[in-house]
Amino acid sequence: MTVILPSAQSLVTAMLTDGWASVRTFLASRWSRQTQEPQDAIEERLDAAHAQAAEVTTGDTEQDRAFLRAYWAGYLTAAVAQHPALGDLVRDLYNIRTGAGTEATSSVHNTNNGTVTNLVQGRDFSGGITFGAQ
């Protein structure tokens, strides 16, 4: 898959700038959707992989970042080999880097027929939505 290395680059960049927790949540939520595995189990596996990489390097130097890119490229390759549906997840990682078709910019299309007081469109919501006075 030609997007593995650029996707690993995106993953490492996000890890070093956004922090591991947000990257792990992004990966695990999409992985869970594709494989129907529980998100918390996926997060545990990702945490174990992250801890293994952290034992070797911190990502502070270009050499460290190259190691992390190679490590996560291997991890992503193995994940896609085991679950081919995760190819979409890898493409999503690549798209984050290029800005093309990312979750944040993709469209959600819903149809409403009738009268609606409040209508919320979206793909993934976390937390709650409150209407009216708080």
Side-chain angles (χ1 to χ4, degrees):
M1 177 174 285
T2 59
V3 297
I4 290 282
L5 289 175
S7 297
Q9 170 66 38
S10 297
L11 178 60
V12 170
T13 300
M15 286 171 50
L16 296 175
T17 57
D18 299 335
W20 173 244
S22 63
V23 172
R24 181 195 64 209
T25 301
F26 171 85
L27 287 171
S29 68
R30 282 144 187 85
W31 187 325
S32 177
R33 240 183 301 173
Q34 293 293 330
T35 65
Q36 307 307 312
E37 295 177 67
Q39 183 172 334
D40 58 342
I42 296 166
E43 287 179 358
E44 288 175 17
R45 286 200 311 270
L46 290 169
D47 280 337
H50 181 255
Q52 286 177 331
E55 287 176 12
V56 179
T57 183
T58 60
D60 292 335
T61 67
E62 181 52 39
Q63 184 177 357
D64 288 348
R65 288 186 291 277
F67 170 81
L68 287 172
R69 285 190 297 271
Y71 177 86
W72 286 104
Y75 190 91
L76 293 172
T77 300
V80 171
Q82 186 175 17
H83 301 285
L86 293 179
D88 291 339
L89 169 67
V90 172
R91 278 184 286 285
D92 284 348
L93 286 171
Y94 175 72
N95 288 337
I96 287 172
R97 182 168 171 252
T98 63
T102 62
E103 296 284 332
T105 61
S106 63
S107 297
V108 174
H109 301 282
N110 294 323
T111 301
N112 174 53
N113 296 317
T115 302
V116 175
T117 303
N118 296 306
L119 176 65
V120 177
Q121 282 189 222
R123 181 171 171 162
D124 296 324
F125 293 97
S126 117
I129 299 173
T130 304
F131 294 101
Q134 296 185 27

